[in-house]
Amino acid sequence: MAVKVARGQVTIIDQNDAVSLQAFIGSSQPLTQVYNRDNNAYAPSWAASPYLVLTPSLFVSGQAATDQITSVGNAATLTAGVKSGSAKWYKNGTAIVSGQDSCTIGAASAKYALTVKAVDTN
């Protein structure tokens, strides 16, 4: 039986200053993976190319059309963006380390994209 994990978009609005945040995760593959008991296989399989690539995005109103994930923030100069190295991915509550568990995390210039090169049997 297939298990579907939720997907959506979050918008946070502070009524005091009317700044809104829009965050979402883009996917290079279909959003549903199905397990076939007859041949013990997942479709699509991410164990071979094309791999699953998840790409986060964060947009802030008043910051033009700049994706804040790729912008390096600086509190001293009040520059909006993500602190370099602060974007993290988690699996079952544990931080994913790039190069382990068949996952690779891109650098800030690659928008911290998570590449999954395996089938998750958990």
Side-chain angles (χ1 to χ4, degrees):
M1 174 169 32
V3 177
K4 185 168 183 172
V5 179
R7 170 190 154 87
Q9 180 173 328
V10 177
T11 301
I12 302 170
I13 299 174
D14 181 353
Q15 297 298 330
N16 294 325
D17 56 17
V19 172
S20 66
L21 303 174
Q22 294 180 328
F24 57 92
I25 298 174
S27 175
S28 65
Q29 295 291 325
L31 300 176
T32 304
Q33 187 180 44
V34 179
Y35 176 72
N36 184 336
R37 290 183 187 180
D38 296 334
N39 61 4
N40 294 326
Y42 287 88
S45 174
W46 303 322
S49 183
Y51 302 113
L52 171 67
V53 179
L54 301 174
T55 307
S57 291
L58 174 65
F59 294 92
V60 179
S61 66
Q63 297 295 323
T66 304
D67 188 346
Q68 299 302 305
I69 297 290
T70 58
S71 300
V72 178
N74 185 337
T77 61
L78 299 177
T79 304
V82 175
K83 181 180 175 184
S84 184
S86 66
K88 302 208 184 306
W89 288 94
Y90 289 84
K91 176 182 174 184
N92 299 328
T94 304
I96 296 173
V97 177
S98 186
Q100 295 180 357
D101 201 22
S102 300
C103 295
T104 305
I105 300 172
S109 60
K111 294 183 62 173
Y112 297 104
L114 174 67
T115 302
V116 180
K117 297 181 178 182
V119 175
D120 186 10
T121 58
N122 293 335

